């Protein structure tokens, strides 16, 4: 059987257990038994040797037999139980107990992996329902020996099963399995330009995935370097360096996928080194590889998934500043994608140590979500101002199994080539796809090898305005697919533009009536005291309210366009009435009796400065200049002043820049922000169809409708 047939056969176990296990629990049965069957097949050739060696060493007082038994098995794990799948089935009445004995016979490192499946409860449930023998028997029929199913194919089987489980659970789009075509492209992008470095004799490279899932990205990276790209046994791309030593590292929060990843690596590497480097736990709050740098880092973090469970630890680390991973900023709690990128940057090697290259795939949100000064913007600012972003590649939609959203690969490095310094390349690969012969969930498209190689060619050529012929609306068009911009191109300084408050005042019955809705006036008749004291205070307040109403009705009815003039008239009336007016009540009167009036005099504060009108307040985003941008004595950068004088002042002469709102990092007026509106740079204008053509089409449709109505009613179509 090929891998697809094996996946279908194993998934067929669902037909046996569907009445006992809910659809979302199929993985509790299928995944651990697939791992056990693979382990059983792998150890079959040396099982007798292990048992013999155990018998030889038993009773000799050796404290640690692990090394000896590992050597006997030929792997970093072993099994000392006398059972295998065949012997388990031969003793059907005691299958549950014997299966537990078989699992307990594994070496401690493999038992740790198997415990993550919580399989003991599943055994009990299968046994109680009378299904255990049938299920184990079905798995016995699948030959997963490495001579029949090689390691890459077995990895594909595991990942296909996980994909099916996610579909059964209808998981969040952030919990999806990454398709192989996307992984191969990401690996190539991460390694791009490093071929000569990797070909060096005796090279040792480390690769890290902080959310490694079942380990697919790590294993494919290693295969690209040491084996090449193969499909159905055919070599499509040669290995970069078959003798390179690639060390894999990762961390995974999901216990089942962690167990799959760890067990798969134990099977692939007899030394067990890579498997030992796969840590369990949530990486945001419990970094199991803290303080370690890696040569290559790759990840597909969950999209749109909150980080509430890690919030306390993440915020505490952010407060530590540069000594923590999250100093640049924190994204909104509902989406932690950028936290994973910051985490990866914290694990990049310093340039003096050789530097690192990073490939991470995220949805569109991290490109533009968050205004200037927000956590997301500050993270983008850190990346661009430190010249870490090499390229952004927009991928086609409908590439993933559980979501059709747009995705982008970020290629990040702290050792850019000289020609790429202070520049970012954008590649529009949204048309670099072919339809799949058969859709898999939401995955209806894939990136074929020739198109992925074309993307790599675009990255390597590093040309602004490079074009490709792509199909659009049934036509072939020559379109720009590569743009190059300076890092500052994505930055802006957001300034606040104020305009003066202008009010007129008039004591009309309508405006006086508005006073009743003002909190400052309502509070006059309220008291925090209780009992008689409170009642007395409320009565005094109501009396004061009535006195205020009376004095306002006695004000002149003329419309005044100067606040100072109105306040003088108000003060005279208050004094004449002998009323003691609290400040909140006075503010309520000014609010209710005023209306905005562009022809009125400017309202000024105690220092004589114009008061801003909150309703006229506006903001402007001023592009950052490429070069120096000196500031004047008020802290206003020259670029901002020039923009204001050119774009704002001619239209609103009384406007001014709020110099109190300053960037927390450079201290200048205006908040610096960064965003990458990818589609803006590849927008292609499509002119609307001529009106005559649309009208003619409408007339044809109208005629068709009339004819159909005539057929229904049996009448004649109108001419």
């Amino acid at each position: 059987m090929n891998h697809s047939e094996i996946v279908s056969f194993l998934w067929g176990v669902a037909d046996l257990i569907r009445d006992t296990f809910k659809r979302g629990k199929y993985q509790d049965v299928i995944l651990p038994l697939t791992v056990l069957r693979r382990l059983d097949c792998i150890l079959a050739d040396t099982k007798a040797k292990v048992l013999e060696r155990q018998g030889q060493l038993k009773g000799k007082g050796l404290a640690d037999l692990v090394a000896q038994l590992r050597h006997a098995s030929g792997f970093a794990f072993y099994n000392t139980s006398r059972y295998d799948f065949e012997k388990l089935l031969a003793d059907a009445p005691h299958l549950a107990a014997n299966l537990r004995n078989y699992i307990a016979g594994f070496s401690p490192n493999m038992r740790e992996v198997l415990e993550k499946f919580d399989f003991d409860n599943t055994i009990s449930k299968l046994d109680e329902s009378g299904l255990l023998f049938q299920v184990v028997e079905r798995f016995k029929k699948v030959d997963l020996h490495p001579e029949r199913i090689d390691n890459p194919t077995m990895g594909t089987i595991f990942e296909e099963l996980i994909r099916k489980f996610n579909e059964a659970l209808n998981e969040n789009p952030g919990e999806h399995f990454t398709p192989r075509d996307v992984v191969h492209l990401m690996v190539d992008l991460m390694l791009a330009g490093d071929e000569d470095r990797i070909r060096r004799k005796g090279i040792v490279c480390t690769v890290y995935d902080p959310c490694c899932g079942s380990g697919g990205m790590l294993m494919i990276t290693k295969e690209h370097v040491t084996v090449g790209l193969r499909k159905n046994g055919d070599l499509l791309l040669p290995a970069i360096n078959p003798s390179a030593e690639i060390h894999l590292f990762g961390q995974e929060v999901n216990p089942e996928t962690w167990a799959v990843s760890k067990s798969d690596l134990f099977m692939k590497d007899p030394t067990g080194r890579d498997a030992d480097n796969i840590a369990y736990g949530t990486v945001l709050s419990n970094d199991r590889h803290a303080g370690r740098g890696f040569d290559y880092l790759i990840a597909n973090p969950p999209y749109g998934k909150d980080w509430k469970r890690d919030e306390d630890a993440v915020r505490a680390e952010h407060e530590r500043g540069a000594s923590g991973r999250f100093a640049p900023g924190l994204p909104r709690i509902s989406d932690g994608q950028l936290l994973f990128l910051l985490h990866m940057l914290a694990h990049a090697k310093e340039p003096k140590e050789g530097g690192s290259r990073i490939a991470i795939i995220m949805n569109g949100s991290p490109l533009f979500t968050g205004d200037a000064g927000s956590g997301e913007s500050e993270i983008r600012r850190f990346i661009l101002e430190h010249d870490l972003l090499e390229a952004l590649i927009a991928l086609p939609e409908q590439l993933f199994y559980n979501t059709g959203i747009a995705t982008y690969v970020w290629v990040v490095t702290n050792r850019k080539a000289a020609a790429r310094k202070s520049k970012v390349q954008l590649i529009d690969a949204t048309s670099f796809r072919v339809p799949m012969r058969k859709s898999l969930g939401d995955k209806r498209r894939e990136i074929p090898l020739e198109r992925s190689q074309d993307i790599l060619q675009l990255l390597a050529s590093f040309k602004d305005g490079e074009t490709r012929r792509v199909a659009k609306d049934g036509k072939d068009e020559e379109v720009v697919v590569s743009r190059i911009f300076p890092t500052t191109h994505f930055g802006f300084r957001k300034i606040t533009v104020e305009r003066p408050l202008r009010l007129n005042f008039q004591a009309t019955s309508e405006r006086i009536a508005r006073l009743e809705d003002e909190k400052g006036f309502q509070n006059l008749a309220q008291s925090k005291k209780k009992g008689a004291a409170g009642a007395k205070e409320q009565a005094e307040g109501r009396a004061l309210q009535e006195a205020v109403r009376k004095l306002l009705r006695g004000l002149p009815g003329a419309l005044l366009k100067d606040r100072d003039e109105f306040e003088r008239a108000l003060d005279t009336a208050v004094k004449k009435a002998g009323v003691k007016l609290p400040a909140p009540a006075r503010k309520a009167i000014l609010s209710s009796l005023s209306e905005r009036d562009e022809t009125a005099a400017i309202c000024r504060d105690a220092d004589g400065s114009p008061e801003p009108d909150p309703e006229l307040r506006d903001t402007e985003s001023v592009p950052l200049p490429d070069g120096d941008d000196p500031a004047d004595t008020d802290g206003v950068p020259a670029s901002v002043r020039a923009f204001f004088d050119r774009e704002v002042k001619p239209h609103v002469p009384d406007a001014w820049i709020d110099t109190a709102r300053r960037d927390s990092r450079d201290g200048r007026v205006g908040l610096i922000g960064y965003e990458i509106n990818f589609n803006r740079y590849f927008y292609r204008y499509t002119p609307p169809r001529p009106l005559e053509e649309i009208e003619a089409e409408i007339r044809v449709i109208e005629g068709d409708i009339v004819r159909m109505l005539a057929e229904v009613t049996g009448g004649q179509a109108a001419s």
Side-chain angles (χ1 to χ4, degrees):
M1 293 189 288
N2 60 34
H3 81 273
S4 297
E5 292 169 335
I6 290 174
V7 169
S8 297
F9 182 82
L10 296 177
W11 186 254
V13 171
D15 294 330
L16 296 174
I17 64 175
R18 67 173 69 254
D19 294 331
T20 305
F21 291 82
K22 294 180 180 179
R23 185 173 176 82
K25 294 292 184 179
Y26 291 172
Q27 68 182 43
D28 295 353
V29 177
I30 297 173
L31 207 51
L33 278 170
T34 303
V35 172
L36 280 174
R37 181 57 180 151
R38 174 68 167 178
L39 294 173
D40 190 62
C41 292
I42 283 178
L43 295 178
D45 296 339
T46 58
K47 184 69 176 280
K49 188 176 179 181
V50 168
L51 294 176
E52 180 185 357
R53 187 60 177 155
Q54 183 192 35
Q56 293 171 351
L57 298 172
K58 194 173 183 179
K60 290 192 175 182
L62 295 177
D64 186 6
L65 306 181
V66 172
Q68 294 284 340
L69 297 179
R70 279 184 174 185
H71 180 73
S73 75
F75 293 91
F77 62 96
Y78 52 84
N79 186 291
T80 56
S81 168
R82 66 185 181 88
Y83 293 104
D84 55 22
F85 267 57
E86 188 171 338
K87 290 178 180 176
L88 285 169
L89 293 169
D91 186 11
H94 305 101
L95 179 55
N98 293 342
L99 181 55
R100 289 187 172 97
N101 176 277
Y102 173 65
I103 293 171
F106 278 101
S107 53
N109 56 357
M110 189 56 76
R111 279 203 311 274
E112 179 195 15
V113 171
L114 296 173
E115 284 168 3
K116 287 294 188 292
F117 289 116
D118 193 23
F119 192 48
D120 193 70
N121 290 329
T122 303
I123 293 173
S124 298
K125 196 168 184 179
L126 286 169
D127 191 37
E128 291 166 4
S129 59
L131 293 171
L132 186 59
F133 183 87
Q134 296 177 63
V135 171
V136 174
E137 184 181 41
R138 187 175 183 90
F139 276 88
K140 167 65 176 63
K141 293 177 182 178
V142 181
D143 188 353
L144 299 181
H145 194 282
E147 290 181 359
R148 259 74 67 192
I149 306 295
D150 61 19
N151 286 327
T153 303
M154 195 65 220
T156 301
I157 290 171
F158 280 131
E159 293 190 340
E160 282 288 308
L161 287 172
I162 291 170
R163 178 184 65 78
K164 282 183 170 287
F165 298 142
N166 283 347
E167 285 181 356
L169 291 168
N170 193 23
E171 284 282 9
N172 180 302
E175 302 295 335
H176 53 68
F177 153 74
T178 312
R180 285 300 174 99
D181 54 329
V182 177
V183 178
H184 286 299
L185 174 60
M186 289 181 65
V187 169
D188 284 337
L189 290 167
M190 178 179 66
L191 301 177
D194 271 16
E195 291 80 5
D196 289 341
R197 173 189 288 253
I198 296 172
R199 290 190 186 103
R200 290 187 309 208
K201 187 176 181 180
I203 187 73
V204 178
C205 295
T206 54
V207 186
Y208 174 62
D209 183 346
C211 38
C212 64
S214 59
M217 287 186 168
L218 292 172
M219 297 171 197
I220 288 176
T221 301
K222 189 169 187 175
E223 289 167 12
H224 271 233
V225 174
T226 60
V227 179
L229 176 59
R230 293 180 179 274
K231 187 174 183 180
N232 299 325
D234 297 327
L235 182 65
L236 303 181
L237 292 174
I240 300 174
N241 183 357
S243 62
E245 193 171 336
I246 308 297
H247 296 192
L248 304 181
F249 296 80
Q251 187 162 339
E252 172 58 27
V253 66
N254 181 281
E256 290 85 5
T257 50
W258 173 84
V260 168
S261 173
K262 189 125 177 157
S263 61
D264 200 16
L265 283 170
F266 269 131
M267 299 176 213
K268 289 180 176 179
D269 179 11
T271 69
R273 179 194 64 211
D274 289 339
D276 289 338
N277 292 333
I278 304 299
Y280 174 69
T282 171
V283 75
L284 297 181
S285 59
N286 183 19
D287 183 5
R288 300 286 300 278
H289 295 292
R292 181 151 198 165
F294 303 99
D295 298 299
Y296 300 99
L297 302 95
I298 188 168
N300 178 12
Y303 304 159
K305 187 175 181 180
D306 68 62
W307 44 281
K308 289 178 183 176
R309 65 179 291 183
D310 302 306
E311 182 175 4
D312 291 343
V314 168
R315 292 194 183 280
E317 192 163 350
H318 171 65
E319 294 298 323
R320 281 164 40 197
S323 63
R325 293 170 291 168
F326 311 118
L330 298 178
R332 63 198 62 198
I333 194 72
S334 60
D335 189 356
Q337 291 177 87
L338 284 170
L339 288 179
F340 284 91
L341 178 52
L342 288 179
H343 168 80
M344 294 168 82
L345 286 169
H347 280 284
K349 287 185 174 181
E350 293 291 333
K352 61 184 179 183
E353 299 173 350
S356 301
R357 286 182 65 80
I358 297 170
I360 181 172
I361 187 168
M362 299 185 281
N363 65 16
S365 178
L367 292 174
F368 51 77
T369 301
D371 203 353
S374 68
E376 292 93 343
S377 179
E378 286 297 294
I379 294 170
R380 290 190 292 268
R381 178 180 182 177
F382 174 83
I383 291 169
L384 288 162
E385 289 187 352
H386 286 79
D387 198 18
L388 298 172
L389 183 59
E390 177 173 294
L392 273 171
I393 298 92
L395 299 184
E397 296 178 353
Q398 300 178 9
L399 283 182
F400 291 88
Y401 299 108
N402 286 23
T403 177
I405 59 176
T407 51
Y408 302 80
V409 178
W410 296 47
V411 180
V412 180
T413 181
N414 56 5
R415 50 176 172 85
K416 282 187 179 182
R420 292 182 179 269
K421 294 286 187 182
S422 301
K423 293 183 176 66
V424 176
Q425 184 177 12
L426 306 183
I427 297 176
D428 179 13
T430 54
S431 300
F432 289 42
R433 86 270 173 161
V434 294
M436 296 183 65
R437 284 179 292 180
K438 181 182 178 183
S439 297
L440 293 172
D442 287 322
K443 183 173 176 60
R444 299 179 179 89
R445 297 166 175 170
E446 61 184 349
I447 304 174
L449 179 61
E450 62 272 15
R451 300 318 300 266
S452 66
Q453 292 301 301
D454 198 12
I455 294 171
L456 293 172
Q457 180 57 45
L458 288 167
L459 182 70
S461 61
F462 192 56
K463 293 179 182 177
D464 184 41
E466 195 162 357
T467 63
R468 290 291 187 275
R469 292 200 69 81
V470 301
K472 184 190 177 193
D473 299 329
K475 300 178 182 177
D476 278 353
E477 295 183 19
E478 190 82 15
V479 298
V480 173
V481 294
S482 173
R483 299 297 309 275
I484 296 169
F485 298 100
T487 54
T488 52
H489 180 82
F490 308 105
F492 59 91
R493 191 178 289 272
K494 187 174 183 180
I495 60 170
T496 301
V497 177
E498 301 282 16
R499 292 185 63 192
L501 179 65
R502 298 174 185 267
L503 300 172
N504 68 38
F505 295 83
Q506 191 172 24
T508 63
S509 58
E510 181 185 350
R511 296 191 187 190
I512 293 173
R514 296 199 301 237
L515 182 63
E516 306 298 330
D517 297 325
E518 294 284 341
K519 275 285 185 186
F521 184 73
Q522 294 172 355
N523 290 341
L524 291 177
Q526 296 177 3
S527 174
K528 294 181 180 179
K529 297 178 181 177
K530 296 181 179 179
K536 180 183 177 184
E537 199 169 87
Q538 290 174 357
E540 291 173 349
R542 287 192 291 271
L544 178 57
Q545 285 179 328
E546 185 55 39
V548 170
R549 295 187 190 101
K550 184 177 179 181
L551 77 84
L552 292 181
R553 287 194 292 268
L555 286 174
L559 181 69
L560 302 179
K561 295 192 175 187
D562 187 315
R563 188 174 66 182
D564 290 343
E565 184 180 352
F566 174 76
E567 288 193 275
R568 285 193 294 270
L570 178 63
D571 290 341
T572 300
V574 168
K575 186 175 182 181
K576 184 178 179 181
V579 173
K580 187 176 181 181
L581 197 62
R586 181 186 181 87
K587 185 176 180 181
I589 292 170
L590 293 175
S591 174
S592 62
L593 268 58
S594 65
E595 290 184 357
R596 282 174 170 76
D597 185 345
E598 290 185 2
T599 65
I602 294 174
C603 298
R604 298 181 181 275
D605 60 20
D607 297 326
S609 301
E611 289 185 18
D613 185 343
E615 292 190 8
L616 296 179
R617 182 172 294 140
D618 199 2
T619 59
E620 296 285 349
S621 295
V622 183
L624 294 182
D626 291 340
D628 293 335
D629 195 17
D632 59 22
T633 54
D634 291 329
V636 180
S639 61
V640 171
R641 183 67 70 188
F643 177 92
F644 180 78
D645 292 343
R646 181 180 68 252
E647 304 291 340
V648 179
K649 203 72 173 173
H651 307 289
V652 279
D654 58 359
W656 72 91
I657 300 171
D658 181 359
T659 57
R661 300 189 185 221
R662 296 176 178 245
D663 187 79
S664 61
R665 298 202 177 184
D666 70 5
R668 295 183 173 189
V669 172
L671 301 179
I672 288 182
Y674 280 84
E675 66 176 18
I676 304 175
N677 191 334
F678 200 97
N679 293 334
R680 177 193 305 165
Y681 306 114
F682 296 97
Y683 174 74
R684 298 188 293 272
Y685 173 72
T686 303
R689 291 187 297 160
L691 284 175
E692 295 79 6
E693 182 180 324
I694 298 173
E695 289 173 352
E697 190 173 305
I698 292 173
R699 284 194 293 271
V700 171
I701 293 172
E702 287 175 342
D704 291 340
I705 293 172
V706 170
R707 282 191 294 274
M708 285 188 285
L709 286 172
E711 290 174 6
V712 171
T713 59
Q716 297 294 319
S719 57

